[in-house]
Amino acid sequence: MAYHKVNADQRAQGHSPYLDNDELQATALELEWDMEKELEEPGFDHFRLGSAVQHHLGNSQSPDLDLEPIQPSSSPKGRFQRLQEDPDYISHYTRQAPKSNRCNFFRILKVFCTALILFIFGIVIGYYARKKCPSPPTSQEPNNLHIYHEILKEIKAENIQRLYRDLLQFPREDDVDVAMKLLVQWTSQGLEDVRLVNYSVLLDLPGSSSNTVTLKNSGECFHPSGQQCSRETKTLHSQDLLYSYAAYSAKGTLEAELVDIQYGTVEDLIRIQAITNVTKKIALLKLGQLPLLYKLSLLEEAGFGGVLLYVDPCDLPKTADLADKAFMVSLNSGGDPSTPGYASIDGSYRQNRLNLTTLLVQPISAVLAKKLVSSPEDSVQKDRCIPLQMPATGKKIISLSIQSITTYKTISNVIGYLKGTVFPDRYIVIGSHHNSLNTYSGQEWASSTAIITAFIQALMLKVKRGWRPDRTIVFCSWGGTSFGNIGSYEWAEDLKRVLQRNVVAYVSLHNPVRGNSTLHPVASPSLQQLAAESQSFNCVEKTKCLGSNVSSVQIQGDADYFINHLGVPATQFSYEDIKTSENSSFLYEALFPVHTTNTEELDPSFSLHETIAKLTGQVTLQIANEPVLPFNALDIALEVQNSLKGDEVAIPQLLAVASRLRDTAEFFQSDEMRPANDPRERAPVRVRMLNDVLQNLEKSFLVRRAPPGFYRNILYRLDERTNQFSVLLEALEHCKLHQSNETIQAALSEVLNSISSAQVYFKAGLDVFETTLAGKK
């Protein structure tokens, strides 16, 4: 199938209104000719001339009403020339020879005057119709790069630094106060439509005193940081001690044997269960390798009663000095726990969910973990870090005491809209997060908020000079992120139907500078090419941008709902430290206390912040302004095929449907997308149809059920170490644990149905284009 122009077809469709007016004119002329024959007696010549001219002047006004709503594409040449294209034009004006020279002269004059009047009216009407009904917007690709450069050059490191320092002056106690100040700040930048959206949600906050861990063998009591309970706590504030906890953990006290299960993988559990009964015991668990919620679900299923969670010093970046610090984690998979799956609005039913697990979970520092496993203080030998491990001999009995307060609090989101001019009903959502109620995430929220504010500032300078994006850009600063992305979940659940239809992409600014060694771009398969191109656009002569590969891995933050429930393509740029261990994939789940100077120590000149802002802005502008969405359908099919390579569960049916998906995607890419990107071949109706298909590419890959902590969108992998589908790998491990193939069969069915659904979706899109083209022919 080839791509065809439709301009001629559009003109053919506008033919009938003009025929009606032509026939009306012809009828008037024929009636006039009959009257002349009847009145052809001496003395009536003057009467014939006056009445004829007057009659035509009256008639010449009538086409004005009919031509007003006609699109210029239907009649670009004007009213008079359109009449000449009528095949019946000559016959309408065929008359008998005149009986006298005088009559002939008047008739010629009359016809000439009529034609002249019609011609003038055609020009005037055509001109105003073109102004009133402008042709579909033509491509502005040649000017787009220049516009992007003009906007992005206004983003400067010193401005981001100033905004960052201003944000640190905001109070930490009240989420609503922070959100209100952000609203005022965004409005002052010129953003026209900025709203404060509040939700009353269930939060799990620390109790009045710190949780404790007591060694029953020696009677020593410790705070989560490793400091003894009886001593003065001078190195950390009391608030820091309080906020070393797991939100939504079970509460109470548990005395039991401590069992070292390392990273809590299936292999670790099989090994431990072979040598001891783990029922109601306390697991000593390392953070990393797998999602925390998934590992906790395995421990809960195995029968453990409690968990001490820590980060092995060998997994921390060399630049991080966090061994003596405990941290906070959230056990909430997303949204308000009291309203799972629906928004926390007035009148919603509130479920009584005081905790989200039966396990007593307590994060502790590496210093305390060393004391519990009786490890020497110096664990580095010959430049090699030795991971912590409990000796095989000797049992340790500990008492774990956990308390927290579950209460309803207000979480606020700041939502600002920059309306598009061509496709205002299509949204690009760009999100950061602000300081939530009593969070334990240091000052990294100020980095993301300063970057998004700097981008708004640069964008609105261009808007004030008359420019606007084609699609609507929605700026979001989320609240409640530390407790399980509550603000973004509630807003998205509240507007779910609108967002399912309108959101095109999500651009994340969550924790953009968590290190200073490596640029780490993450993008869904359909946006990987765009993310890579944006780096080359912005990273000229910046060595830190070179060689950074774009991957599709699970990311932290508020992109979660958009990726896993709406199937929206997403991307995120961030700087991080080079990983010292492959086990550090999910260390970001720990929210460590970071001092106010930490961000400025990582990026004293704020040049990294500037780079992230420009990369984020470049991607956002391209998605918002390109006539055809810059998504790559073929990359999705290639990602699916790569995820099945070497997979021991890749059955022939999976490989066959993946091959068909690639064939269909290649055809779609070459036959529909390539010509649509040529401004000379572009038709607005087909572009809109094509964009609708591109917008929904990834929705087919949302599986109904996924293990806790795993993405429902199977296009995303757990980390860069493996290319296989995460749900299939997990199902294979689960079968080893339970000696059953039921889980793997269910996972295979989910993946097979997703790939098949995507192939059918591509094929249906091609069929629609084929049918449309055939209809116009």
Side-chain angles (χ1 to χ4, degrees), residues 521-593:
V522 175
S524 61
S526 59
L527 283 176
Q528 285 187 4
Q529 184 174 331
L530 176 63
E533 291 173 352
S534 298
Q535 293 178 70
S536 62
F537 179 87
N538 287 281
C539 295
V540 179
E541 299 180 357
K542 288 186 171 65
T543 56
K544 291 186 178 181
C545 293
L546 299 178
S548 54
N549 296 321
V550 185
S551 59
S552 297
V553 295
Q554 294 191 189
I555 58 177
Q556 64 188 112
D558 294 282
D560 185 85
Y561 190 91
F562 296 88
I563 293 172
N564 289 304
H565 295 271
L566 299 179
V568 171
T571 186
Q572 172 182 281
F573 295 94
S574 61
Y575 273 98
E576 61 183 25
D577 289 316
I578 298 174
K579 293 182 173 63
T580 59
S581 170
E582 65 177 10
N583 301 321
S584 58
S585 301
F586 288 89
L587 292 186
Y588 61 74
E589 294 179 314
L591 300 178
F592 281 95

Side-chain angles (χ1 to χ4, degrees), residues 4 45 74 78-79 115 189 303 393 536 551 642 647 687 742 774:
H4 294 271
D45 287 345
S74 298
R79 172 75 173 129
Q189 302 293 347
T393 58
S536 62
S551 59
N642 290 334
D647 201 331
V687 168
E742 183 177 349

Side-chain angles (χ1 to χ4, degrees), residues 167-212:
L167 289 169
L168 293 184
Q169 305 303 316
F170 287 3
R172 298 190 63 183
E173 288 74 19
D174 197 336
D175 182 79
V176 179
D177 287 346
V178 177
M180 280 297 300
K181 292 192 176 183
L182 275 179
L183 182 144
V184 173
Q185 191 177 58
W186 288 8
T187 303
S188 67
Q189 302 293 347
L191 203 58
E192 304 103 326
D193 187 3
V194 188
R195 308 172 187 176
L196 190 68
V197 185
N198 298 327
Y199 297 98
S200 178
V201 300
L202 189 67
L203 298 183
D204 192 36
L205 304 175
S208 57
S209 59
S210 172
N211 297 334
T212 59

Side-chain angles (χ1 to χ4, degrees), residues 427-431 472 474 476 478 491 499 503 505-508 562:
Y427 304 156
I428 295 87
V429 180
I430 174 171
T472 297
V474 184
C476 304
W478 309 112
W491 183 76
L499 299 179
V503 174
Y506 185 89
V507 182
S508 174
F562 296 88

Side-chain angles (χ1 to χ4, degrees), residues 22-37 55-56 59 88-95 110:
D22 296 341
E23 291 167 0
L24 180 62
Q25 292 287 344
T27 302
L29 290 173
E30 289 167 358
L31 289 174
E32 184 184 11
W33 179 245
D34 293 338
M35 182 180 292
E36 289 178 0
K37 287 192 294 184
H55 177 76
H56 281 289
N59 260 348
D88 297 329
Y89 179 77
I90 301 298
S91 62
H92 287 174
Y93 291 87
T94 303
R95 303 190 178 198
K110 177 178 60 179

Side-chain angles (χ1 to χ4, degrees), residues 238-382:
S238 59
Q239 187 183 43
D240 295 330
L241 292 175
L242 292 178
Y243 279 80
S244 301
Y245 80 113
Y248 306 102
S249 165
K251 290 85 176 170
T253 301
L254 175 64
E255 182 177 320
E257 179 185 349
L258 186 65
V259 179
D260 184 7
I261 62 167
Q262 291 296 297
Y263 291 97
T265 63
V266 169
E267 288 81 2
D268 291 330
L269 282 176
I270 293 175
R271 173 177 53 83
I272 293 298
Q273 287 179 318
I275 60 177
T276 185
N277 180 13
V278 301
T279 303
K280 295 301 179 183
K281 293 185 178 180
I282 299 174
L284 183 63
L285 174 66
K286 294 181 182 181
L287 195 67
Q289 275 200 357
L290 292 169
L292 175 61
L293 293 183
Y294 173 67
K295 294 191 288 189
L296 292 181
S297 69
L298 294 180
L299 298 181
E300 192 172 8
E301 186 179 350
F304 279 93
V307 177
L308 289 181
L309 182 67
Y310 73 103
V311 177
D312 195 302
C314 296
D315 294 337
L316 289 170
K318 294 180 180 179
T319 56
D321 183 20
L322 303 172
D324 62 338
K325 296 179 175 63
F327 50 91
M328 171 193 171
V329 295
S330 175
L331 309 185
N332 181 15
S333 60
D336 179 9
S338 68
T339 58
Y342 54 96
S344 297
I345 58 177
D346 292 341
S348 296
Y349 171 68
R350 307 278 181 168
Q351 299 184 21
N352 185 22
R353 305 181 73 187
L354 301 181
N355 49 268
L356 301 179
T357 178
T358 60
L359 297 171
L360 276 74
V361 183
Q362 176 59 52
I364 61 173
S365 68
V367 170
L368 180 55
K370 288 180 181 181
K371 294 178 180 179
L372 295 178
V373 301
S374 302
S375 172
E377 287 298 321
D378 186 10
S379 60
V380 180
Q381 298 179 359
K382 296 180 181 180

